[in-house]
Amino acid sequence: MNKALGGKAIADDYEVHVGAVAECTQRNRLSELLQKDLESRYARTVQAFKFAKDTKAVADLWADAVRQGDVSGAFWATLTHPRCDEVLQEVVLRDMHMLQHQAGAAVRIDLTKFNELIKENGVLGRELGRVQERCTRVITEKAAEIEQLHAQLVQQRAIVIGKDSRIAFHLQDMEQLKASLPDFENTSRLRKKIDQLTARQAELETQNAQLRQQLSEAQRSPSLRESAAQPAPAAEQHHDTPKESPITFHLKAKTILCVGGRNGNVANYRDVIEKAGGNFAHHDGGLEDKQGALDSILAAADLVICQTGCISHNAYWRVKDFCKRTGKQCVFVENPSTSSLTRTLQQITVDDTHGELAENTFAQ
């Protein structure tokens, strides 16, 4: 209408509709513009209807368009088709009239559903707003809690770093102190040995004091002196014999190494071995003495007595491996007592004597 009138049409939609329909009853500029516009807008549909060669084919195409629900282009193509007669035109107009009623009803139904959807959307929107508000509040609270925990974590890390730094400084000071003191480990080991020897000395002094007291009492008692001068019966002599077994073997200046054993028995070990004509050597099995000195002592020994009950696991395996590799005689003893050591040495010397006798007999 604007193109036909050369400007803007001053009318409402109904007036424009009525005026356009009235002008289309004859050929003029408006009807030609409308014809050109409709032909251009529905060109594809018009081209499809051109293949219809009779009225029935046009009617079938129109019926298909009605079933598909797309009748705008088909309506124009049918009415302008050369095979559209008055009967088909009446049918098309009736169908279009009913479609308009149906479209109006559908529009009313859609409008009702649309209004209901608007109400439901409003309810859901308000609920969404409340949910978003709760989520925002929870997120804010959690963010504050996370920030507090992060601050506590940073504080604890700082405390741990400070403690680690102090420990490192203390360790460094300890290493410097050890380096400044010559033979720190030897000094510590010697101090422990001095304490053990001091305790042993106190024990021996106590025993000596008891023996002196018994000797004084015996000297003050004349009857005891007389009885001591007379020979004792065999049974009494049997009971008065010392508990320690006499030394009946000779070690022939062999070096006997005792590995392990109780510190209080070391002096007794030395006494037994030296009385039997041997040279005594001792290593505590790594409890206090250095492990590195064990190999050199083992190499210098002729016989190794290993006290398995008073030795470290590392020293036990080193002694066993060394003696196995070198073929050195080694005896493992579980009981660390002095009498057990005496019996072991006696058995070894007896076995060695038998072996020498057997060799001499075989040579003869």
Side-chain angles (χ1 to χ4, degrees), residues 192-193 195-197 200 203 260-269 282-285 287-289 310 336:
K192 292 182 179 179
K193 284 193 174 182
D195 294 338
Q196 294 172 358
L197 293 175
R200 179 61 177 169
E203 182 180 354
R262 296 174 182 172
N263 293 326
N265 293 338
V266 174
N268 296 332
Y269 297 164
H282 178 258
H283 191 281
D284 64 1
L287 301 178
E288 295 180 6
D289 296 336
C310 306

Side-chain angles (χ1 to χ4, degrees), residues 306 311-323 332:
C306 183
I311 189 175
S312 65
H313 292 286
N314 187 20
Y316 172 82
W317 290 110
R318 292 184 66 175
V319 169
K320 188 173 183 180
D321 180 69
F322 184 90
C323 294
F332 295 92

Side-chain angles (χ1 to χ4, degrees), residues 209-229:
Q210 293 175 357
L211 292 174
R212 291 192 187 97
Q213 183 178 1
Q214 293 176 3
L215 179 61
S216 300
E217 292 177 356
Q219 291 176 352
R220 286 194 300 270
S221 176
S223 60
L224 289 177
R225 288 198 300 270
E226 293 176 357
S227 61

Side-chain angles (χ1 to χ4, degrees), residues 5 15 45 91 103 118 154 156 163 187 207 209 231 239 253 267 302-303 314 323:
L5 298 177
E15 292 176 349
T45 307
V91 172
I118 290 177
V154 173
Q156 293 299 323
K163 290 183 178 179
T187 303
Q207 294 178 0
H239 290 291
D302 297 312
L303 173 65
N314 187 20
C323 294

Side-chain angles (χ1 to χ4, degrees), residues 15-28 30-31 34:
E15 292 176 349
V16 170
H17 172 71
V18 173
V21 172
E23 291 294 326
C24 287
T25 57
Q26 55 185 349
R27 185 170 184 171
N28 52 42
L30 178 59
S31 62
L34 288 175

